[in-house]
Amino acid sequence: AQKVTQAQTEISVVEKEDVTLDCVYETRDTTYYLFWYKQPPSGELVFLIRRNSFDEQNEISGRYSWNFQKSTSSFNFTITASQVVDSAVYFCALTPNSGNTPLVFGKGTRLSVIA
Amino acid sequence: DVKVTQSSRYLVKRTGEKVFLECVQDMDHENMFWYRQDPGLGLRLIYFSYDVKMKEKGDIPEGYSVSREKKERFSLILESASTNQTSMYLCASSLEGLLDSPLHFGNGTRLTVT
């Protein structure tokens, strides 16, 4: 069975602070894909990143960076110099490379960035 | 850009009513999904479809059914709405092959059943 745990329910930071959103996953598959999505107040989930299990390179995109560590089954997301526009609910998700299995989502972390 | 359109942003229905939630995507995606989102529970998959007239149960299909008569349209049906189906409903689509294809979501329909 697949499982994604986002232990942080809500986080509040002051603008310009760095913040890390944690994601821990469980799967028995050796090949799988991990995702992060952002849900701003408008409601539409926006795709941020996809990572396959064979690629443990960390990724940086502007102020966003992702740290994938298979040894700890974690795929953490860091926002550097946070801005008010980063306020949203962030979801981590997992899909295995076996059969027609849709994404399994974590419960999300609500990030509030205060000016 | 992919556009996933959900017909209603807000709906208020009475207990026992039959409710239709419509979703249309314009990018010829094979796969379509219905999720519900509730506080503290995240997103839970209700049904999905990877082809016309095909449907698969997700994690919480009870009380729901779906229809996929055309590739671009995926309808969620509440046969007899109940108050515990008050929720945010999210439709999504993706290209063939569920594995590495990102989901594209609509804006959601907030359904209240009174």
Side-chain angles (χ1 to χ4, degrees), chain A residues 33 35 37 39 41-45 47 50 89 91 95-103 105-108, chain B residues 9 33 35 37 40-43 45 48 50 59 88 90 97-108:
Chain A
Y33 293 85
F35 299 77
Y37 286 84
Q39 186 181 37
S42 61
E44 179 179 344
L45 273 82
F47 165 73
R50 169 188 57 216
V89 181
F91 291 94
T95 187
N97 187 31
S98 57
N100 254 355
T101 306
L103 283 182
F105 284 86
K107 294 183 179 180
Chain B
R9 191 83 169 103
F33 307 81
Y35 288 87
Q37 181 178 8
L41 297 178
L43 273 71
L45 181 65
F48 64 105
Y50 47 85
D59 299 318
M88 170 71 89
L90 294 166
L98 291 165
L99 308 178
D100 63 350
S101 178
L103 296 181
H104 298 268
F105 283 87
N107 279 342

Side-chain angles (χ1 to χ4, degrees), chain A residues 83-100:
Chain A
Q83 299 176 3
V84 173
V85 293
D86 296 326
S87 297
V89 181
Y90 291 87
F91 291 94
C92 181
L94 162 75
T95 187
N97 187 31
S98 57
N100 254 355

Side-chain angles (χ1 to χ4, degrees), chain A residues 39-45 89 91 110, chain B residues 5-14 19-22 34-44 46 64 76 78 81-91 106-114:
Chain A
Q39 186 181 37
S42 61
E44 179 179 344
L45 273 82
V89 181
F91 291 94
R110 180 177 298 278
Chain B
T5 304
Q6 295 184 230
S7 54
S8 303
R9 191 83 169 103
Y10 298 95
L11 272 180
V12 180
K13 297 291 182 181
R14 293 193 180 276
V19 181
F20 292 86
L21 302 184
E22 305 289 347
W34 275 106
Y35 288 87
R36 64 176 281 177
Q37 181 178 8
D38 300 286
L41 297 178
L43 273 71
R44 294 180 292 166
I46 305 172
Y64 303 94
L76 180 69
L78 287 66
S82 63
T83 54
N84 63 13
Q85 292 179 309
T86 291
S87 185
M88 170 71 89
Y89 290 87
L90 294 166
C91 176
N107 279 342
T109 296
R110 187 167 292 282
L111 173 67
T112 301
V113 183
T114 61

Side-chain angles (χ1 to χ4, degrees), chain A residues 3-56:
Chain A
K3 186 178 179 182
V4 176
T5 301
Q6 295 179 255
Q8 304 148 308
T9 306
E10 293 190 33
I11 302 175
S12 286
V13 298
V14 177
E15 207 171 18
K16 297 184 183 176
E17 285 185 358
D18 299 347
V19 59
T20 296
L21 308 182
D22 298 332
C23 173
V24 174
Y25 61 91
E26 296 175 29
T27 180
R28 291 181 181 160
D29 292 82
T30 54
T31 305
Y32 49 89
Y33 293 85
L34 294 161
F35 299 77
W36 275 95
Y37 286 84
K38 173 182 179 181
Q39 186 181 37
S42 61
E44 179 179 344
L45 273 82
V46 177
F47 165 73
L48 294 178
I49 189 172
R50 169 188 57 216
R51 171 68 71 221
N52 75 56
S53 52
F54 293 114
D55 183 2
E56 286 195 70

Side-chain angles (χ1 to χ4, degrees), chain A residues 20-25 34 36 49 51 55-60 64-79 92:
Chain A
T20 296
L21 308 182
D22 298 332
C23 173
V24 174
Y25 61 91
L34 294 161
W36 275 95
I49 189 172
R51 171 68 71 221
D55 183 2
E56 286 195 70
Q57 262 193 322
N58 293 330
E59 180 148 344
I60 298 174
Y64 293 173
S65 62
W66 290 269
N67 183 288
F68 176 31
Q69 294 200 346
K70 284 178 83 169
S71 60
T72 56
S73 297
S74 65
F75 186 42
N76 296 337
F77 173 30
T78 297
I79 301 174
C92 181

